[in-house]
Amino acid sequence: MARPKPALRTTASITTAVVLLAGAALGAAPAATAAPGTAPTSTTAQGLTFHDIPGSGGITLKGNVFTPAGAAAGAKHPLIVFPTSWAMPQIEYLAQAQKLADSGYVVVSYTSRGFWLSGGKIEVAGPPDIADASAVIDWALEHTSADPDRIGMGGVSYGAGISLLAAGHDPRIKAVAALSGWADLIDSIYSGRTQHLQAAALLGGLGLVTGRPGDELTRTLKDFLGSNLEKEPEMIAWGKKRSPATYLDRINANGAAIMMGNAWGDTIFPPNQYASFYDKLTGPKRLEFRPGDHATAEATGLLGLPNDTWTSTRRWFDRYLKGERNGIDTESPVQLTSRTDKGYEGYPDWKSVGAVKSRIPLDGTKKVWANVDSGANGGIAILSNALDQFLKLPPTVSVPLLPRTFASVWQSERYATAQRIRGTSALHTTVTATKSSGTLVAYLYDVGPLGIGKLVSNAPYTFHGQTPGRPFPVDLELYSTAYDVPAGHRLALVIDTVDPLYIEHNPTGAQLTFSSPGTDPSHLSVPLREK
C-alpha cells in the first residue's frame, strides 16, 4: 500500500480537525458532570452513589451504583454492569440504570479506562479493558447486594464490545446486551481491505478530546490512516485481539445469553459482521436490526425516552437474570425493522432473512477513470443515516446524470410489484486495472420514475498486487439492509472509485474496466423477503 497522495492526507487531516472541534463542543458539558465521581459515596438521587472502583493494573475507574429502593436487609439482587461508550463519562446510562434498579437490579456503570476521570490509557477493548470488567464485578460482589449467580453486562458501542469480550473471559456473566457494537473490528473499519476514513477519524478525534490514547492505539491509528501496508499484518492482529469473534469458542463455552442490536446504516460497525457472528453463537441469542446509524437506535433511551431497543434489553435481562417467563425467548430470535416501514418482522435465523435471491445481470464492458468522485457516495458518517432514520432522507443521486466516464451504471427493469430487500446483496464481477492497486465502491440505488436514486446500500473494495491488464474476479458483499422498493421503480448498481467515507488507493491516471465473461457472468444477487 503506497503512502497516500497529498489529497488523501489533506482529507484525513480536515476530517480529523472537524471531529476534534465537534468533540470539544460535545465533550465540554460532560466534564463538569463527571466531577462528582471523585466523591466515593456522594448520593445524588434515590439509590444512586458514585464510587472509585479499583480496575486492573492498579488504576481507578470512576463509577456509579444504582440499588433497588426499599430492599430488605441481606437480600441479593441481580447485577448488571455497564462499561461506557467510547468518549462517554459514567453518567451515560443513568436513565436506563434507574429504570433497571426500580425493577430490582443492582446496576454498576463505570467510565472505561483512559477516558475522562478514569485512570490508565485507552486500550481499545484490549486485555486491560477485559480485566477491568471482571474487576468491577469483583468489586460489586464485595460492596453491593449483587447476586454472584445472576450477573449481566451490556452497553452501547464500546460498552457493547467490551461486554461481548468479557463474556468470553468471565464465566460468571450469564447475560449480555450488546447494542451498536462490533464482533469483528477489522471487518468493521477495514472491510473490503479499505480504511473507513470517517469512522477511524471520528474515533481517534474523540479519543484525543476526552481521553488519553495509549501508545499502541496512537501507532496503529497512524499506520492505518497513513496507509502503511507494511504494517497491515500487525494492524490486523491488533484488531483480531480486540474482536469477540476471535473468542467465539470461549463465548459459546461460557454460555451467556446474548442479545445484539444494531442499525442498518451503522457507519462505525456495519451490520454484516454482527449478523455473521450471531449465526455462530450456540447459546440463547437474539438479533435486532433497526434503521439508523451508529448508536442512534438507542440514543433516545439514554435520554430516558421510550425506546424499543432498551425495552428489549430489559426484557432480555429479566428473562435470563430473573428467570421471568416474559416470552422473549419464544419469539422469533431475529427481529428486523425495514428502513421504509415501521413494522417488525420476525425470522427463525439470519439465513431465513432474504431467502429468495433475485439476480441482476451486469452485462457488457464498462470502463471508468479513477480518482474522481462521480457524485455517488455513501453520505456522511452518523448524519446521513440518522436523516434516513428520522426523516426518510437517505443519500440521493440523479442516476441519469451520473458521468459515465467516472461511474459504471447497470439498471434492472422496472418492477411490477414491490421488492422487499432483506439481508446482504452480493456483487460478482471481473475487473481489469491499469495499475496494480486500486479501490472501487459499489452502490445500490432505488431509482424512481424521474431517475432519482435513493441509496439502499454500498461497500468498498481495495486490491493490491494485481497484474496490470490482467482480469481478476471480485466478490463483494454490500452492507446488509432492509428496504422496500416500490412498484414502478427499478434498482441501479453504480460503481465508482472515490467516496468521502473511505480512503481510496487509485494511482493517478488509473482506469478500471468491468466485464462479464461468458464463462463467468457478472451479476448482483439481491436478497428478497419471501412473499
Side-chain angles (χ1 to χ4, degrees):
M1 189 186 300
R3 299 295 296 180
K5 298 183 287 298
L8 294 182
R9 291 197 295 269
T10 301
T11 301
S13 300
I14 292 173
T15 303
T16 302
V18 171
V19 167
L20 288 174
L21 291 173
L26 293 172
T33 313
T38 57
T41 57
S42 59
T43 301
T44 61
Q46 183 179 21
L48 168 63
T49 54
F50 290 90
H51 299 267
D52 290 341
I53 302 175
S56 65
I59 72 161
T60 297
L61 301 170
K62 295 298 181 176
N64 58 65
V65 178
F66 274 95
T67 56
K76 292 293 184 181
H77 303 90
L79 167 69
I80 297 174
V81 175
F82 285 137
T84 56
S85 302
W86 187 270
M88 291 295 289
Q90 59 168 305
I91 62 170
E92 177 183 10
Y93 302 108
L94 290 187
Q96 291 302 322
Q98 181 67 70
K99 291 181 180 182
L100 287 163
D102 288 344
S103 64
Y105 291 92
V106 171
V107 184
V108 179
S109 176
Y110 67 93
T111 303
S112 300
R113 71 163 49 222
F115 289 104
W116 297 90
L117 299 177
S118 281
K121 294 186 176 182
I122 302 172
E123 301 289 345
V124 195
D129 292 292
I130 301 171
D132 284 345
S134 292
V136 171
I137 292 173
D138 292 340
W139 180 89
L141 293 177
E142 182 178 353
H143 293 90
T144 74
S145 59
D147 185 341
D149 295 322
R150 295 184 292 168
I151 298 174
M153 280 196 69
V156 176
S157 185
Y158 197 46
I162 291 174
S163 296
L164 283 174
L165 287 162
H169 291 78
D170 194 327
R172 296 176 297 181
I173 299 170
K174 299 298 189 293
V176 170
L179 312 178
S180 289
W182 75 93
D184 188 325
L185 193 56
I186 295 301
D187 199 30
S188 294
I189 61 173
Y190 195 47
S191 68
R193 208 180 178 186
T194 307
Q195 299 105 311
H196 293 209
L197 171 62
Q198 292 184 19
L202 179 65
L203 294 174
L206 289 176
L208 285 171
V209 169
T210 62
R212 300 167 300 283
D215 294 340
E216 192 175 14
L217 169 59
T218 301
R219 182 173 61 253
T220 301
L221 194 61
K222 178 182 178 181
D223 290 336
F224 185 81
L225 292 177
S227 302
N228 188 352
L229 189 60
E230 292 182 357
K231 297 293 185 179
E232 185 182 43
E234 294 179 26
M235 290 186 284
I236 290 175
W238 177 87
K240 292 299 182 186
K241 185 164 66 173
R242 291 160 169 80
S243 297
T246 301
Y247 310 99
L248 176 67
D249 290 345
R250 294 188 192 179
I251 293 172
N252 283 335
N254 288 345
I258 295 177
M259 172 189 151
M260 303 162 64
N262 204 358
W264 293 119
D266 195 321
T267 45
I268 308 294
F269 305 127
N272 302 44
Q273 46 92 31
Y274 240 25
S276 177
F277 179 73
Y278 170 85
D279 264 350
K280 300 179 180 68
L281 292 172
T282 57
K285 58 184 180 178
R286 183 179 176 91
L287 179 66
E288 298 187 356
F289 282 136
R290 293 180 172 85
D293 206 306
H294 184 65
T296 63
E298 301 86 24
T300 56
L302 293 175
L303 299 175
L305 300 174
N307 182 278
D308 289 347
T309 302
W310 283 104
T311 297
S312 292
T313 296
R314 291 194 296 273
R315 293 179 65 214
W316 191 254
F317 284 138
D318 286 347
R319 175 66 188 89
Y320 290 102
L321 296 183
K322 287 184 177 180
E324 292 184 3
R325 298 290 180 178
N326 55 20
I328 195 168
D329 56 327
T330 62
E331 298 170 357
S332 296
V334 176
Q335 294 284 324
L336 312 180
T337 303
S338 169
R339 289 165 47 200
T340 50
D341 188 7
K342 294 183 179 180
Y344 287 92
E345 300 172 3
Y347 299 84
D349 46 43
W350 178 250
K351 67 182 179 182
S352 299
V353 176
V356 176
K357 307 297 180 185
S358 173
R359 177 172 290 200
I360 300 174
L362 308 178
D363 297 330
T365 298
K366 301 179 187 292
K367 180 183 294 185
V368 298
W369 288 88
N371 309 117
V372 176
D373 190 342
S374 69
N377 64 68
I380 301 172
I382 309 298
L383 175 62
S384 295
N385 290 313
L387 289 174
D388 182 35
Q389 175 187 359
F390 295 111
L391 301 177
K392 304 300 182 187
L393 294 175
T396 59
V397 69
S398 174
V399 174
L401 297 182
L402 285 172
R404 270 39 175 189
T405 304
F406 307 116
S408 293
V409 180
W410 296 264
Q411 296 194 74
S412 71
E413 298 296 325
R414 294 192 187 278
Y415 295 111
T417 59
Q419 305 294 295
R420 295 183 292 179
I421 299 174
R422 300 291 185 273
T424 310
S425 296
L427 167 66
H428 174 75
T429 189
T430 295
V431 177
T432 305
T434 59
K435 306 292 184 179
S436 61
S437 294
T439 297
L440 60 93
V441 186
Y443 309 89
L444 183 61
Y445 285 100
D446 161 24
V447 185
L450 299 180
I452 301 301
K454 295 182 178 180
L455 186 65
V456 177
S457 185
N458 77 99
Y461 181 93
T462 294
F463 59 88
H464 299 287
Q466 294 294 336
T467 302
R470 178 181 296 176
F472 61 94
V474 167
D475 288 286
L476 174 63
E477 287 191 344
L478 278 61
Y479 300 139
S480 303
T481 193
Y483 185 98
D484 299 332
V485 180
H489 287 212
R490 66 177 74 197
L491 286 171
L493 177 73
V494 177
I495 302 179
D496 71 3
T497 62
V498 177
D499 190 303
L501 286 172
Y502 314 112
I503 291 180
E504 52 101 355
H505 300 270
N506 297 295
T508 301
Q511 298 178 49
L512 300 180
T513 299
F514 304 96
S515 58
S516 182
T519 56
D520 187 21
S522 296
H523 64 272
L524 179 72
S525 177
V526 180
L528 302 176
R529 182 184 178 189
E530 290 183 312
K531 302 295 183 183

